C-alpha cells in the first residue's frame, strides 16, 4: 500500500474514557435517530413485493421473471445511483440530501399506489429507489463521523442491523397486508410514515459538514448505469434463455456490463488525481476493506435472492397463504435485530472473526438444508432453518461492514459507504436474478404459467442449491478477514482534525497488505 492508504496507528497512550466522553451528545443521538428511522422505512420497501409476487403475477398478468424486476429493478437503481452519493454528500449539506431523498421517495410511493398496470408500478418503484439511494450512505457516513471509535462496534451494529432487518421485515409486512387488503395498500400505508419523517427531519436535523465545490462527472454516471444495468439484466435473462424466451443471449449484456464497468473504474482512477472522482478507487487498495466487501457481496447476493425465492416455495410447495407467510417471516427480522445488537459488543472487544467465521459456516449449512426441502418437509423445520439463516447472516453483516469502513481515513468515508452499499445492492439485484433464473431452470417448465407440485419442488431445490454453492464463498472470505487490534480509547481532551483522521481506522491490523 502507499503511505496514503496505510492504516493509521492505534493510539496506545490514550486515557480511558470518562462517563461523559463515553456518551454521545443528545444532538448527535437525534441526528442518527432520525436518519435510522427514515432509512428503515425506505429500506422496508426493497423486498416489500416479495410475498406479493404471486398476487402481482395474477393481477397484472405477468411472468415470475417479469415480476421479479419490481424488486431487481429497485435494487439495480440503487446500485447505479449509490456511487453518486459520494458526490452528493460532498456537494450538499445533510439537510438538503435528506429532504431531497425523502421527497423523491414520497413521489415514487404515490405513483406506485395509483399505478394502473405493471409499467407505471415499475416506474414508481424506480423513483422510490432513486429517493432511497442516498439515505443509507448518509446514515453510515454520519454515524462514522459522530461516533467515537471505541463505540463504533455497538452503534454500527444497530445501523447495519437496521439495513438487514428492514428488507427481512418487508416480506412479513407484505404478507400480512396482502392477506387483508389490496397490494396498493403496501404503498398507501408507508406514505404517512415517510411524510412524518420528512417533516421531523426538516425541523430537527442540523448540518454537520461543509459543502465542497465538486462537480458531477456525467460520463461516470452513464458508465455506471450501463455497466450495472447490463450486468444485472444479463443475469436476469439466464432463466428465460433456457426456454428460448430471452430477447438476446444473456452473455451479450453481461459482456457489455463488464466492459462498461472496466471503463468506469479507469475513469475514476483519472478523476481521483484531481479529487473529483465519482467513486474514489483508493479505498480498494486496502485489503482490510476489500475482503469484507467481497464477503458482503456473497451475503447480499444470496440473502436478497433467498428472500425472493422463499415466498414462492412457501406458496407453491408448502401451500401457505400470504397471511401465513407474513407470520412465518416476522421472527426472522426480530432475530436479526437481536443478534446484531449482541454482536456489536462482541465486535468491540474481539473484532469480526469470532462472529463472522462461525456465522458463515452455520449460514451455509442452513442453505444446504433448504436445498433438500420438499413437500414432506414440515413448516416447523422450514421455520427453524429460516431463523438459523437469519441469525447467522446477522453474524456476518454488521461485523463485515464495520471492519471495512473502519479501515478508511475519515475523508474516504463517503466513498467507502457508497462503494459498500453499491456492492450490496448490485449483489442483491444480481441475487434475485440468479436465484429466480435457477428457480425457472430447475422447474423444467416448458411454458409460462403456474407450476405443479413436482415442478415447484424441483425449482426450489435448484434455487437453494445454487444459493448454498455460492454461500461457500462466504466461509472462505471470512477466514481471510484480518484479526483486529484493540479499539483505541478516546483522548481526554477534544481531538484535533488530524487526530480524528488518525482514529478512523481503530480496528484494522497494521500488518502490511
Amino acid at each position: 500500500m502507499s503511505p496514503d492508504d496505510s492504516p493509521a496507528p492505534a493510539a496506545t497512550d490514550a486515557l480511558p474514557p470518562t462517563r461523559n466522553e463515553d456518551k454521545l451528545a443528545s444532538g448527535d443521538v437525534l441526528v442518527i435517530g432520525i436518519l435510522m428511522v427514515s432509512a428503515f422505512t425506505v429500506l422496508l420497501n426493497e423486498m416489500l413485493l416479495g410475498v406479493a409476487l404471486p398476487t402481482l403475477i395474477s393481477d397484472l398478468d405477468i411472468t415470475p421473471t417479469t415480476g421479479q424486476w419490481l424488486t431487481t429493478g429497485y435494487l439495480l437503481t440503487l446500485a447505479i445511483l449509490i456511487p453518486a452519493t459520494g458526490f452528493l454528500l460532498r456537494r450538499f449539506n445533510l439537510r438538503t440530501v435528506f429532504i431531497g431523498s425523502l421527497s423523491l421517495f414520497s413521489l415514487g410511493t404515490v405513483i406506485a399506489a395509483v399505478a394502473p398496470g405493471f409499467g407505471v408500478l415499475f416506474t414508481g418503484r424506480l423513483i422510490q429507489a432513486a429517493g432511497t439511494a442516498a439515505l443509507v450512505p448518509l446514515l453510515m457516513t454520519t454515524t462514522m463521523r459522530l461516533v467515537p471509535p471505541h463505540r463504533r462496534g455497538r452503534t454500527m451494529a444497530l445501523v447495519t442491523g437496521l439495513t438487514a432487518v428492514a428488507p427481512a421485515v418487508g416480506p412479513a409486512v407484505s404478507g400480512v397486508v396482502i392477506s387483508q387488503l389490496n397490494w396498493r395498500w403496501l404503498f398507501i400505508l408507508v406514505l404517512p410514515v415517510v411524510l412524518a419523517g420528512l417533516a421531523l427531519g426538516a425541523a430537527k436535523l442540523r448540518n454537520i459538514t461543509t459543502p465542497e465545490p465538486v462537480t458531477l462527472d456525467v460520463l461516470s454516471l452513464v458508465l455506471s448505469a450501463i455497466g450495472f444495468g447490463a450486468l444485472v439484466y444479463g443475469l436476469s435473462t439466464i432463466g428465460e434463455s433456457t426456454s428460448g424466451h430471452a430477447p438476446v443471449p444473456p452473455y451479450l449484456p453481461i459482456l457489455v456490463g463488464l466492459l462498461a464497468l472496466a471503463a468506469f473504474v479507469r475513469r475514476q482512477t483519472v478523476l481521483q488525481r484531481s479529487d473529483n472522482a465519482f467513486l474514489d478507487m483508493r479505498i480498494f487498495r486496502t485489503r482490510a476493506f476489500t475482503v469484507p466487501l467481497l464477503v458482503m457481496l456473497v451475503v447480499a447476493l444470496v440473502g436478497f435472492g433467498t428472500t425472493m425465492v422463499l415466498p414462492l416455495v412457501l406458496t407453491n410447495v408448502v401451500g401457505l397463504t400470504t397471511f401465513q407467510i407474513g407470520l412465518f417471516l416476522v421472527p426472522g427480522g426480530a432475530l436479526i435485530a437481536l443478534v446484531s445488537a449482541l454482536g456489536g459488543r462482541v465486535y468491540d472487544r474481539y473484532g469480526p472473526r469470532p462472529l463472522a467465521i462461525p456465522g458463515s459456516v452455520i449460514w451455509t449449512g442452513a442453505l444446504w438444508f433448504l436445498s433438500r426441502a420438499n413437500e414432506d418437509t414440515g413448516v416447523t423445520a422450514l421455520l427453524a432453518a429460516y431463523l438459523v439463516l437469519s441469525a447467522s447472516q446477522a453474524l456476518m453483516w454488521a461485523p463485515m461492514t464495520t471492519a471495512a469502513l473502519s479501515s478508511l481515513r475519515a475523508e474516504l468515508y463517503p466513498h467507502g459507504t457508497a462503494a459498500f452499499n453499491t456492492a450490496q445492492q448490485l449483489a442483491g439485484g444480481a441475487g434475485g436474478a440468479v436465484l429466480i433464473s435457477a428457480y425457472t431452470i430447475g422447474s423444467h417448465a416448458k411454458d409460462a404459467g403456474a407450476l405443479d407440485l413436482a415442478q415447484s419442488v424441483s425449482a426450489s431445490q435448484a434455487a437453494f442449491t445454487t444459493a448454498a454453492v455460492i454461500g461457500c464463498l462466504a466461509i472462505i472470505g471470512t477466514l481471510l478477514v484480518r484479526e483486529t487490534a484493540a479499539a483505541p480509547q478516546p483522548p481526554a481532551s477534544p481531538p484535533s482534525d488530524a487526530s480524528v483522521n488518525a482514529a478512523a481506522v481503530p480496528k484494522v491490523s497494521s500488518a502490511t497488505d
Side-chain angles (χ1 to χ4, degrees), residues 13 79 108 174 191-192 224 308 356 503 506:
D13 57 348
S174 178
L191 191 58
S224 69
M308 295 179 64

Side-chain angles (χ1 to χ4, degrees), residues 75-90 129-130 132-134 137 215-217 219-229 261 264-265 268 276-281 283-284 413-426:
L75 298 174
L76 176 58
T77 301
L78 291 178
I80 292 171
L81 295 180
I82 284 177
T85 59
F87 159 79
L88 290 175
L89 297 183
R90 295 176 63 193
T132 302
T215 57
L216 176 64
D217 185 62
L219 179 58
S220 295
L221 182 61
V222 172
L223 288 174
S224 69
I226 295 174
F228 294 133
L261 289 180
F264 173 81
V265 171
Q268 304 319 298
N276 282 317
F278 196 70
L279 184 65
D280 198 317
M281 293 291 112
I283 58 178
F284 298 108
Y413 286 163
H415 295 286
T417 55
F420 218 80
N421 284 280
T422 297
Q424 289 178 25
Q425 302 304 335
L426 175 62

Side-chain angles (χ1 to χ4, degrees), residues 399-470:
M400 292 298 96
T401 304
T402 309
L405 295 181
S406 293
S407 71
L408 301 176
R409 302 192 310 271
E411 62 269 25
L412 291 178
Y413 286 163
H415 295 286
T417 55
F420 218 80
N421 284 280
T422 297
Q424 289 178 25
Q425 302 304 335
L426 175 62
V434 168
L435 295 194
I436 288 293
S437 292
Y439 184 90
T440 302
I441 295 171
S443 69
H444 304 295
K446 297 181 179 180
D447 301 314
L451 304 179
D452 60 30
L453 180 59
Q455 290 174 325
S456 297
V457 170
S458 177
S460 65
Q461 291 183 346
F464 280 110
T465 298
T466 302
V469 171
I470 298 173

Side-chain angles (χ1 to χ4, degrees), residues 5 75 79 87 91 123 130 153 158 173 202 227 259 266 291 298-299 301 336 363 395 397-398 436:
D5 303 308
L75 298 174
F87 159 79
R91 182 65 180 83
T123 300
L158 294 176
V173 173
L259 291 175
R266 175 59 182 167
V291 173
V298 175
V299 175
L301 189 150
I336 289 174
W363 184 66
L395 290 176
W397 198 287
I436 288 293

Side-chain angles (χ1 to χ4, degrees), residues 193-241:
V193 180
V194 176
L195 293 178
L198 179 59
L200 181 62
K204 298 294 185 179
L205 279 184
R206 60 184 177 86
N207 295 315
I208 61 172
T209 58
T210 301
E212 303 175 41
V214 293
T215 57
L216 176 64
D217 185 62
V218 177
L219 179 58
S220 295
L221 182 61
V222 172
L223 288 174
S224 69
I226 295 174
F228 294 133
L231 187 60
V232 175
Y233 176 76
L235 292 171
S236 71
T237 59
I238 292 176
E240 291 180 304
S241 68

